[in-house]
Structure formats: structure tokens, C-alpha cells
Amino acid sequence: MKNFLGVGRNTDLPDDVRFLTSVTQLIRKRIDQGEVSEQSPAIFFLHPQPLDLSGSRETSQVWMLDNGLRGVSGRMWFVNKTASNGTAVHLDPDEDDEQLLQLAVNELEAGHVPAVVFDARTPTPETRYYPEGLANADNFRFIKVFGNLITLEEVFVVIDRLYEQQLCTPNVQQKAMALWEKADKHFTSSKAEDLIQGVLRAGLTGHFPGCDVKAEQPQASGRLDIEIEEASPFDRSQITRHVVLELKVLRDFGSTGASVSDRENDDWTRSGVEQAATYRDERGTRLAALCCFDMRVEYTGDSCFDNVRDLAARLSVELRSWHIFASSKAYRRAKVS
């Protein structure tokens, strides 16, 4: 049952991520219950405030919506971030999809909040996520509710996006998660690993909302950084452990300015490969990767792995690195070189 937890699940993640994962878990339950419908789609909005529709539409207040026992199609659902309670706006079956869009954006004024559309009319039910709301109907992505094995390339595509949007330079890093103690001197924050882990966990959870993205899992050989696992919607005791990610930050200087030698960084990457392989084997996970975030002065690409390539190949651990720059100028210089 742990994959279907409600309020206590992912409490440290942003509200929009919690909304997406909670609605996805609800949809998994409805598909498991066999929800196939000729009615209008189910449209979920992150909008927990009460609605004042002045009697223009039939509505109902729903408690424990997240238990999955209630059909959801043919309604617009205004829910909280855990999709545990909400208001249902009943839809006219004669209204087409364009009319539903106008209803959401214009009449209900819900076009600018995150939305999930679940359509059970199609031969295979479809789920779409609109992060900016239905007013920007062209900005959506299909949600993989369940069923396919996750690849490391899919994971790396997500990390590439997160790197560009939130990690690569101080300009894109949020003030609350500054990775540099003193960027002009290349003094790295003592919390850099934890901060990067938080960004990755939130981003991967948002991209794979049918999965559970866990951090700091304790076991006999240590604590693994990130694991992506998925419970079967048909037998919840069956868990597919897709990916283990070991995260390492490479430095020239610590937070107080103490030098970090090349030998120490080499030892760090070797340890990362060994940890990734060990955690994968202990957990019975399909895939393992070492992800290095290189905060050293010189940009050297993937040469940080030169000392561990043979070891990683022997242990079947994928290697990938991202360089975190201390300034936008250094980032631009590396791009053009």
C-alpha cells in the first residue's frame, strides 16, 4: 500500500508536484477499478478554495476522493495538493471538448492553475498535465501513469533540464538553495549535495508521478542517494525498482576555502561507482548510475571519470557529469569553446 499513501507522502515537495503525483495515484486506482467512460474527461485543478458558482452548475463536495472508489469522469475536480478532498463540477455530456475548455478558462476562471486531464474515452486512457493551466493549452505533456520500464536516458533527459533551469549558474539557482559559499572564490556550500539531491528528487517525481522517488534510503552498506521505484497497480506488493542514482559533488575548495586535491576527487568518484553498484545489487534495482556535479574551477567535461571508466564498465554503472559554473561568464565561455 505504500505507493498509494496520501497526506504523508512527499510532504517536502512543492505543491504542484504533490498535486500531480496525488492525481496520478488516483488515476492509477481508477484504471485499476476498470474506469472506462463515454462521458467527458475528468479534469483536475489545483484549486482547493471553495467555488461560488451561484447555482449555474451542479456541484458536490467530496471527502476521501483519493481512495479511488468514486468514478471521476464527467466532472471538473477542484482539489487540494493531496487530491484527498475537493469540489466536483458536473459536466453536461453534450458539451464538446472545446466547450469544456471555455468553461474552465472563462466561466470558472481556472485557466491559470496546474491541471491534469484524464480521458477514459480513448482505447487506452490518456493523461495530460498542463503545468501552466488550460489557458496555455499548447503547453502540456503526456503522463506515463504506469506500465513501461524507465531507462537511464529518460532520467538523464530530466536531469539535463533541471541542470539548465536550476543548477548550472548562480543566476538560475534559487536564493534559498545557493550552491556556492563564495562563488567568486569557488568556495562550495557544505550543503551542495543535499541541495542538488532536493532539486533532482522534485524534478524526477514530477516527471515520473506514477513512481516513488526516494532519497536517503538506509541499508547495510550505507545510504543510497536517490532511487526510483514503482508499485504495480494490479498487485501493489509487486515493486519494480527502476534506477539507483549515486550523487557526488567534485570541488577544488570546501565551504571555508580548504583545498580539495585531485586525489580526493578521484577517490570520491571511485567510491561513487562502488556505492551505486552495491546499492543496486542489494536493492534488486534494474539500473545504476553515478551522477557527478563538477564545481571545480576548470571545465573538463567527462574527464572526471578517467580513473573509473574500466571499473564502471565492469560493474555496469552508467557515468554522467554536469559542470556547475560559478558565473554566467564562465558558463558562456564553456559553451562557445
Side-chain angles (χ1 to χ4, degrees):
M1 293 290 290
K2 63 183 176 181
N3 201 49
F4 293 165
L5 295 178
V7 175
R9 184 172 181 267
N10 294 333
T11 55
D12 57 326
L13 297 180
D15 286 355
D16 58 339
V17 175
R18 294 187 67 191
F19 162 73
L20 176 56
T21 58
S22 298
V23 171
T24 299
Q25 297 303 327
L26 171 57
I27 290 170
R28 285 167 67 98
K29 292 179 183 180
R30 291 309 310 156
I31 293 175
D32 190 15
Q33 295 276 349
E35 176 149 338
V36 177
S37 176
E38 296 181 358
Q39 302 181 66
S40 303
I43 305 175
F44 298 87
F45 300 97
L46 177 55
H47 193 291
Q49 293 82 11
L51 295 176
D52 180 12
L53 300 179
S54 302
S56 60
R57 292 270 174 171
E58 179 188 356
T59 65
S60 55
Q61 297 295 319
V62 180
W63 179 53
M64 295 199 305
L65 173 64
D66 58 325
N67 63 20
L69 299 179
R70 180 188 298 266
V72 295
S73 295
R75 297 169 180 82
M76 289 185 177
W77 297 93
F78 293 79
V79 300
N80 55 15
K81 59 194 173 187
T82 62
S84 55
N85 305 302
T87 301
V89 177
H90 299 253
L91 303 176
D92 186 334
D94 293 330
E95 291 176 304
D96 60 27
D97 292 349
E98 288 70 25
Q99 288 173 308
L100 295 183
L101 181 62
Q102 293 302 315
L103 168 64
V105 174
N106 296 325
E107 184 177 337
L108 301 182
E109 298 182 345
H112 298 284
V113 297
V116 174
V117 177
F118 169 54
D119 194 347
R121 297 172 299 179
T122 54
T124 300
E126 290 184 351
T127 304
R128 306 183 186 208
Y129 177 51
Y130 297 79
E132 297 178 350
L134 295 182
N136 190 356
D138 291 332
N139 181 19
F140 74 91
R141 61 182 174 88
F142 288 101
I143 295 299
K144 183 188 293 185
V145 176
F146 57 76
N148 296 323
L149 296 179
I150 293 172
T151 68
L152 279 173
E153 282 309 311
E154 288 179 276
V155 172
F156 293 150
V157 166
V158 178
I159 299 177
D160 286 342
R161 173 174 53 81
L162 296 171
Y163 165 77
E164 292 288 346
Q165 293 177 351
Q166 300 185 50
L167 297 173
C168 60
T169 69
N171 282 1
V172 299
Q173 295 163 17
Q174 296 179 14
K175 190 171 289 187
M177 63 147 290
L179 299 177
W180 299 99
E181 192 69 32
K182 294 182 179 180
D184 58 334
K185 295 184 177 181
H186 277 84
F187 292 3
T188 61
S189 169
S190 60
K191 299 179 180 179
E193 286 95 344
D194 291 341
L195 294 170
I196 292 170
Q197 181 188 80
V199 169
L200 266 55
R201 180 166 172 257
L204 291 167
T205 299
H207 192 82
F208 302 111
C211 295
D212 200 358
V213 182
K214 296 184 173 181
E216 298 295 322
Q217 288 289 101
Q219 51 199 47
S221 58
R223 286 180 177 270
L224 65 83
D225 287 328
I226 290 178
E227 182 183 41
I228 305 174
E229 67 176 38
E230 181 178 10
S232 167
F234 308 110
D235 182 356
R236 297 167 189 175
S237 68
Q238 298 298 312
I239 305 292
T240 300
R241 293 186 166 90
H242 291 287
V243 175
V244 162
L245 301 178
E246 182 62 24
L247 313 180
K248 297 296 183 189
V249 171
L250 307 180
R251 301 166 165 86
D252 279 332
F253 304 100
S255 60
T256 62
S259 296
V260 179
S261 68
D262 291 340
R263 174 66 179 272
E264 289 177 281
N265 282 308
D266 285 347
D267 289 346
W268 204 228
T269 55
R270 176 172 291 275
S271 174
V273 171
E274 293 169 347
Q275 286 173 293
T278 302
Y279 298 155
R280 176 200 59 211
D281 295 344
E282 283 189 6
R283 301 281 293 175
T285 307
R286 296 174 43 244
L287 304 167
L290 169 62
C291 299
C292 282
F293 294 85
D294 194 342
M295 299 182 70
R296 294 177 295 181
V297 177
E298 185 179 358
Y299 171 68
T300 59
D302 285 340
S303 66
C304 61
F305 297 128
D306 288 349
N307 67 311
V308 295
R309 292 188 192 281
D310 292 342
L311 176 65
R314 178 163 57 84
L315 297 178
S316 299
V317 173
E318 192 76 18
L319 303 173
R320 192 62 62 94
S321 71
W322 294 264
H323 196 97
I324 296 178
F325 296 89
S327 68
S328 296
K329 181 179 180 180
Y331 174 74
R332 292 194 302 270
R333 186 179 297 138
K335 280 284 193 181
V336 300
S337 67

